[in-house]
Amino acid sequence: MSEVKLAKRKDKCENCTKQVKLWFFYKCCPFYSVILIMGKCKCQSGRSATRNRGMKLLLSACLSCDGCLSEEETLKISQQSLEEVKQVLALNKKCDVSKHKVLVASVCPQSLPFFAVKFGLDVNEAAHKLCGFLKSLGVQYVFDTTLAAGFSILESQKEFIQRYRRRNHDSHALPMFTSSCPGWIRYSEHVLGSLVTPHICTARSPQQIMGCLVKDYFSKQQKLSPDKVYHVVVAPCFDKKFEAVREEFYNSLLESRDVDCVLTSGQIYYLMEQRKVSVEELDSVPLDQVLGEGGDVALVRHDGRGSEGFLEHIFKHAAKELFGLEVHEITYKTLRNRDFQEVTLERDGETLLQFAAVYGFRNIQTLVHRMRKGRVPYQLVEVLSCPGGCLSGRGQAESEGGRVDKTLVQQMEEVYCSLPVRLPELNPTLHTLYQDWLQGQDSSQTSKLLHTQYRPQMVKRTTFNTRWKLNDWF
């Protein structure tokens, strides 16, 4: 999370935020402060806050406060900054070659529409300008993460089929929840626990698969030790910083993370403004390719509404694999709102599959409430903590006033939808990497590098500011 971001949040009502955080630490949830506000809370400034006055925080906003972090996590997150990247670049300019690192940047496809809108260019040209800017800083290679997302989708498809076939003798097989959103994962592990974690797909997110591609495959191709590669991911979401510092994505032997630093789209754009860089003066440089082929390749996207499209890909794959049905177009049925929708596969009046897309904390709370009561009819739920999906990530879609810029999001959606769709099954690069890098789709290497486990985590309560007394509130 950026220093600028934290400052903005504290300016709104620092004292109220601290007091409400502590109150809910004891009364409700130690990680997600404002789920329901009952009555009023007082603060030293004399102001009060009720559930109708500015206290409806989103899941991503709750995650952006540092109340739930241990000291170790706080240190790791603080290193996810522009300053850290600048230090690496500065070391590279010095004479001590032993401390040089090869900088690699991976850009999420949901970040590219942000730059396209800001630059006033089509998405391919905006990607080239962004690549030119990053390379002008000293970044040697710039990739986009669509390839890694393809791996994540294929592995998620495979796991869903396996879970569906064992559903009758495994109570945790279904529903399967998607695993690409770190805000959702953190909430599940630290708050929901065993109610949800066995249901989460084990496929790694596109970001972390890209980390493996860079630190394992690409570094070997370049004859470099992983610790000599500094990997930066440009993402639309602050929560991706939490994901990058997870213990399982750190190689203690080599002292190397799969992703060394996550910068949001907004942070990169802020850096451009700091340096007074105009788009016109930037060189247009094609993005690099993991396999090292020459020539520019047009950007593509996966199916979906501004995210990676896990629901749509798994739905179509499952329809064909399990029931022999070809599905070309998916029709969403809106339930509570446009961020809670479902998709149904029927044959002869019988419902074969029922999936749901659930975005935003309020809808997630509804989903969890239904799950506690055993009223979730879905075999798969695509869960994202940001309302509207990844394009609406607070790292690029938030306006100066702290709200989501709806006009910007709409423009980004139009840009994103302009990209052609390419099924990961039809990507020859993926098939090549499955064989050359992972030794096959069902190999132990595939399981090790493309999957992980999600488990309930112990809550660390010692990081809260203890100067606030319980007697002040009850």
Side-chain angles (χ1 to χ4, degrees), residues 126-380:
H128 292 174
K129 290 286 187 177
L130 175 62
C131 183
F133 173 68
L134 293 173
K135 291 199 171 184
S136 73
L137 296 176
V139 176
Q140 284 97 321
Y141 299 93
V142 180
F143 303 118
D144 95 284
T145 66
T146 305
L147 185 68
F151 272 121
S152 190
I153 289 169
L154 292 178
E155 292 301 307
S156 297
Q157 288 179 173
K158 182 170 64 176
E159 181 169 333
F160 177 79
I161 299 300
Q162 293 169 349
R163 283 174 175 262
Y164 185 88
R165 287 174 173 161
R166 68 171 190 265
R167 69 194 184 284
N168 293 326
H169 59 271
D170 181 357
S171 61
H172 292 141
L174 298 177
M176 184 177 94
F177 298 116
T178 57
S179 56
S180 64
C181 174
W184 159 243
I185 293 299
R186 190 173 178 84
Y187 179 53
S188 299
E189 289 186 323
H190 290 280
V191 179
L192 303 178
S194 57
L195 173 72
V196 165
T197 51
H199 295 269
I200 298 176
C201 178
T202 65
R204 295 192 186 192
S205 72
Q207 171 177 294
Q208 294 309 133
I209 289 180
M210 195 69 206
C212 281
L213 266 172
V214 169
K215 289 296 183 89
D216 189 76
Y217 177 81
F218 182 73
S219 64
K220 288 177 181 175
Q221 300 305 305
Q222 299 296 315
K223 296 180 171 56
L224 293 167
S225 173
D227 62 310
K228 292 297 183 183
V229 175
Y230 191 83
H231 184 204
V232 180
V233 168
V234 180
C237 174
F238 285 100
D239 299 345
K240 285 294 183 181
K241 296 173 184 283
F242 287 98
E243 183 176 33
V245 301
R246 289 177 66 95
E247 290 183 9
E248 64 265 36
F249 303 139
Y250 176 71
N251 187 322
S252 57
L253 188 64
L254 296 172
E255 297 184 343
S256 174
R257 293 196 173 280
D258 294 340
V259 176
D260 295 289
C261 181
V262 175
L263 297 177
T264 66
S265 317
Q267 286 178 302
I268 295 294
Y269 192 70
Y270 174 70
L271 180 60
M272 294 180 69
E273 290 182 322
Q274 269 189 326
R275 298 190 172 220
K276 296 181 171 55
V277 174
S278 67
V279 176
E280 292 76 19
E281 68 189 55
L282 286 173
D283 293 331
S284 290
V285 181
L287 273 67
D288 298 292
Q289 299 179 57
V290 173
L291 291 184
E293 305 99 324
D296 188 21
V297 176
L299 295 168
V300 297
R301 67 177 176 92
H302 297 121
D303 277 326
R305 303 182 301 150
S307 300
E308 295 294 356
F310 283 86
L311 181 150
E312 296 201 16
H313 285 278
I314 297 172
F315 187 84
K316 292 176 181 178
H317 178 76
K320 184 176 181 179
E321 184 75 14
L322 297 172
F323 306 105
L325 298 176
E326 293 278 357
V327 176
H328 301 289
E329 294 292 332
I330 287 182
T331 301
Y332 285 90
K333 177 184 177 182
T334 301
L335 299 181
R336 292 171 57 87
N337 48 62
R338 71 183 295 267
D339 282 333
F340 199 129
Q341 298 187 319
E342 69 176 33
V343 178
T344 303
L345 179 70
E346 295 181 345
R347 182 172 60 188
D348 300 328
E350 179 188 4
T351 298
L352 303 177
L353 291 175
Q354 196 171 4
F355 288 10
V358 177
Y359 301 167
F361 193 32
R362 292 185 190 175
N363 290 327
I364 290 175
Q365 289 297 97
T366 300
L367 173 69
V368 172
H369 179 70
R370 292 180 183 178
M371 192 169 183
R372 291 188 192 280
K373 293 190 173 185
R375 296 178 182 173
V376 176
Y378 310 115
Q379 292 87 32
L380 178 130

Side-chain angles (χ1 to χ4, degrees), residues 71-88:
E71 291 182 9
E72 183 182 3
E73 284 179 310
T74 301
L75 176 62
K76 291 175 182 176
I77 294 297
S78 69
Q79 294 170 347
Q80 303 272 313
S81 67
L82 283 171
E83 295 306 314
E84 190 75 12
V85 176
K86 289 176 183 177
Q87 288 180 21
V88 176

